[in-house]
Amino acid sequence: MTLTEADDIGGTGTTDSAASPPDLRARVAELSEFADAARQGPGLRATEAQWAKGKLTVRERIDLLFDEGTFREIERFRRHRASGFGLEARRPYTDGVVTGWGLVHGRKVFVYAHDFRIFGGSLGEAHAEKIHKLMDLAESAGAPLVALSDGAGARIQEGVTALAGYGGIFRRNVQASGVIPQISVMLGPCAGGATYSPSLTDFVFMVEGTAQMYITGPDVVQSVTGEEISHEDLGGARVHASVSGASGFIYDDEKECIEEVRYLLSLLPQNNRELPPAVHCDDPADRRNDTLLDLVPADPNRSYDMRAVIEEIVDDGDLFEVHASWATNIICGFARMDGHVVGIVANQPASLAGVLDIHSSEKGARFVQVCDAFNIPLLTLVDVPGFMPGKDQEHGGIIRHGAKLLHAYCAATVPRIQLIVRKAYGGAYIVMDSRSIGSDLSFAWPTNEIAVMGADGAANVVFRREIAAAPDPETAREQRIKEYREELMHPYYAAERGLVDDVIDPALTRATLIDALEMLRTKHAPLPARKHGNPPV
């Protein structure tokens, strides 16, 4: 069969049967005809409408995701059994979702991909059952699951069975959580309850201009609140990447987006029973980092870009950052060191001085949990002045949200290394994977300042009365600040007490960290006997 403009968008994909029983060759020819109909989809008109929106077809997307010629489709001849509202006259093959598996960089990956050309990619009973089967197979086979989402939500004509279909997806998302990597790629609209499946997965990618996610659309918002807002301003990719934090990655086009999905998959293990894949590395493990001596100011009040520090010490300067546009006062991302994958969490002095606040705590906690679930060692770079003060933070629940990051680190059993680059003050120092909460090793540069608070604030509290009573309060204050810094904030104070394992030359940072990660690669930390923890939410 070939595409023609006469093909109906919801065509049945059937052919006339032969008058007499055909032989096997005729059956094979018939199979080829049916398979071609299922692959080509509803028609040229629907395909051109998809292209006109700047979107690829479902088959084009799958071809981009998988290594050439490796995709194996299942249930391609599945059709719905619903009736009423004209559905019985429109029974296209695939029922609007393509499911199967293939290879990405030579490793098995499962996918389900909505076909917006068929019923707008909406989910009905048969559509949902295909996804359920695919999800069960992915978990059983122990391989990552990718959802290429471009659907209009529940199929209204099928009523409650469509809603039950979403429930089955959500339950499987949770069941597979921490077992296999789950990636949602938002390539079109996603509204209502359907938005909860992406939020239950490990990573969410979005394409700007074509992908949206929201619980209630602009029309409902206007009718209830009177507020006029566009689809993009309500739930577009940029909103979720920089404001809500619902999307970890944003791209300008589908090709770039799917290529980056392939790259992320190359960094992740197949499941929670495997280690991340290692690769050959030409970047010397003992490469010196003399650049760092000039990159980071010794003055704790001066800003710098922590990304530059990370790029100097990891393999080939390659950092794959997650949530790069949201909660920018903390950096979370994947990199390789001597060919082995590591998860990096780092304060960012160039944004809000690197303080921890509600959003950065949530961002860090989520990333730590993902790394721990999939056996990815954690490297934490610390330069933190404390938690963000203020009524909005306190009333917004900074205590509860900050505890999420604390809980995530305390629960993590993967190798954990802390590097104190400069200042580490107060509770934020503890939360950023200090030795006291279970970090395996803690290193520090000679610029480190570990204390309850900065010397200025400490002097004002501890010596308040003495300073006020002095003939020259300002001179007395400066003297007490100097004494506090020399007594309690010198680089070796924590090392003398075993809270820092070594104070190192910044130029030797890469070599030191790679040696430590190699030593910890066989770490085994048994878990306590319990059903699960109860992290703050």
Side-chain angles (χ1 to χ4, degrees):
M1 291 186 177
T2 59
L3 291 172
T4 68
E5 291 190 13
D7 287 336
D8 181 71
I9 290 178
T12 61
T14 60
T15 62
D16 295 331
S17 299
S20 59
D23 60 17
L24 182 57
R25 291 183 183 278
R27 287 296 191 190
V28 171
E30 184 182 53
L31 169 63
S32 178
E33 187 178 6
F34 286 173
D36 187 58
R39 177 171 177 79
Q40 295 206 42
L44 181 60
R45 184 176 57 183
T47 298
E48 289 179 337
Q50 183 83 347
W51 289 338
K53 297 173 185 175
K55 300 196 294 184
L56 300 175
T57 65
V58 63
R59 303 290 177 174
E60 290 170 330
R61 291 164 175 168
I62 288 173
D63 288 344
L64 286 174
L65 177 63
F66 290 110
D67 300 345
E68 185 176 355
T70 64
F71 177 63
R72 176 69 175 177
E73 186 175 354
I74 58 174
E75 296 206 356
R76 57 183 167 176
F77 298 129
R78 187 70 179 264
R79 300 195 291 177
H80 72 76
R81 297 170 293 180
S83 60
F85 305 101
L87 285 178
E88 64 275 7
R90 300 177 62 198
R91 301 181 62 224
Y93 290 136
T94 74
D95 200 48
V97 64
V98 177
T99 57
W101 73 89
L103 301 180
V104 176
H105 298 300
R107 299 192 303 155
K108 188 188 311 173
V109 173
F110 287 78
V111 69
Y112 69 86
H114 298 128
D115 190 344
F116 194 82
R117 301 171 302 166
I118 297 176
F119 300 123
S122 61
L123 182 139
E125 181 183 24
H127 184 120
E129 287 176 351
K130 287 183 65 175
I131 296 175
H132 296 168
K133 178 183 287 187
L134 193 280
M135 296 178 77
D136 291 341
L137 282 172
E139 185 178 354
S140 296
L145 173 67
V146 176
L148 301 180
S149 299
D150 186 8
R155 193 172 299 167
I156 298 172
Q157 301 95 318
E158 295 197 32
V160 69
T161 56
L163 297 179
Y166 272 121
I169 293 173
F170 302 157
R171 178 169 60 84
R172 287 169 172 83
N173 283 140
V174 174
Q175 183 172 304
S177 180
V179 179
I180 57 173
Q182 299 180 79
I183 299 174
S184 296
V185 188
M186 314 309 295
L187 303 168
C190 184
T195 57
Y196 287 113
S197 180
S199 66
L200 291 170
T201 60
D202 301 305
F203 302 98
V204 178
F205 289 70
M206 293 186 76
V207 174
E208 189 171 12
T210 58
Q212 300 96 32
M213 290 193 296
Y214 36 66
I215 297 295
T216 53
D219 293 341
V220 176
V221 170
Q222 184 175 4
S223 67
V224 174
T225 69
E227 180 184 8
E228 292 187 21
I229 190 168
S230 69
H231 290 273
E232 278 296 304
D233 290 340
L234 181 63
R238 195 156 298 281
V239 169
H240 288 307
S242 61
V243 180
S244 74
S247 174
F249 307 93
I250 177 174
Y251 297 98
D252 292 330
D253 62 73
E254 294 188 18
K255 184 176 181 180
E256 181 187 11
C257 178
I258 294 174
E259 184 59 38
E260 291 299 280
V261 172
R262 284 173 54 87
Y263 181 66
L264 175 59
L265 287 166
S266 75
L267 297 169
L268 301 174
Q270 292 291 90
N271 53 63
N272 65 341
R273 301 182 301 277
E274 297 183 5
L275 293 175
V279 299
H280 173 74
C281 177
D282 292 322
D283 192 350
D286 58 354
R287 171 171 55 81
R288 288 180 59 86
N289 310 120
D290 294 289
T291 302
L292 297 177
L293 297 170
D294 300 313
L295 183 62
V296 179
D299 182 353
N301 297 317
R302 286 185 58 193
S303 178
Y304 65 95
D305 188 350
M306 183 66 85
R307 282 190 191 88
V309 175
I310 297 170
E311 291 168 359
E312 170 62 25
I313 63 177
V314 302
D315 292 355
D316 304 311
D318 190 5
L319 171 67
F320 189 71
E321 192 170 350
V322 182
H323 288 294
S325 301
W326 179 62
T328 55
N329 42 323
I330 198 168
I331 297 170
C332 298
F334 299 108
R336 282 192 168 96
M337 300 195 73
D338 198 28
H340 295 271
V341 179
V342 61
I344 296 177
V345 180
N347 305 115
Q348 173 57 296
S351 177
L352 298 177
V355 298
L356 288 178
D357 60 2
I358 289 172
H359 288 158
S360 62
S361 297
E362 289 184 320
K363 174 179 170 179
R366 176 71 171 171
F367 184 76
V368 168
Q369 289 172 342
V370 168
C371 290
D372 187 49
F374 295 114
N375 308 312
I376 300 173
L378 284 162
L379 171 60
T380 304
L381 276 60
V382 183
D383 190 346
V384 62
F387 281 95
M388 175 75 81
K391 182 181 74 173
D392 290 344
Q393 287 289 309
E394 295 294 348
H395 290 186
I398 184 61
I399 297 173
R400 176 167 49 87
H401 293 288
K404 294 179 182 179
L405 181 56
L406 178 60
H407 188 283
Y409 268 124
C410 289
T413 60
V414 293
R416 292 156 50 188
I417 298 174
Q418 180 194 52
L419 173 65
I420 301 169
V421 174
R422 203 168 56 170
K423 57 187 177 295
Y425 297 159
Y429 152 68
I430 300 173
V431 170
M432 290 296 292
D433 205 19
S434 63
R435 283 294 308 276
S436 60
I437 66 169
S439 178
D440 296 296
L441 291 169
S442 177
F443 299 106
W445 287 358
T447 47
N448 81 84
E449 293 184 352
I450 307 173
V452 176
M453 63 178 68
D456 291 14
N460 289 337
V461 172
V462 177
F463 306 111
R464 181 179 65 254
R465 294 181 181 176
E466 180 181 333
I467 292 172
D472 185 350
E474 188 58 32
T475 300
R477 180 175 176 275
E478 291 298 326
Q479 179 62 32
R480 289 306 187 184
I481 290 174
K482 180 180 179 182
E483 290 178 7
Y484 185 85
R485 181 173 284 116
E486 290 176 350
E487 288 293 325
L488 297 178
M489 297 180 66
H490 64 79
Y492 306 99
Y493 185 84
E496 290 171 0
R497 285 152 181 80
L499 297 174
V500 165
D501 291 288
D502 198 8
V503 179
I504 64 172
D505 180 348
L508 301 178
T509 299
R510 174 175 165 83
T512 301
L513 294 176
I514 287 175
D515 283 347
L517 287 166
E518 172 61 30
M519 181 274 292
L520 289 168
R521 196 151 290 132
T522 55
K523 174 185 174 181
H524 175 67
L527 293 170
R530 61 181 175 187
K531 188 174 182 181
H532 59 74
N534 185 25
V537 296

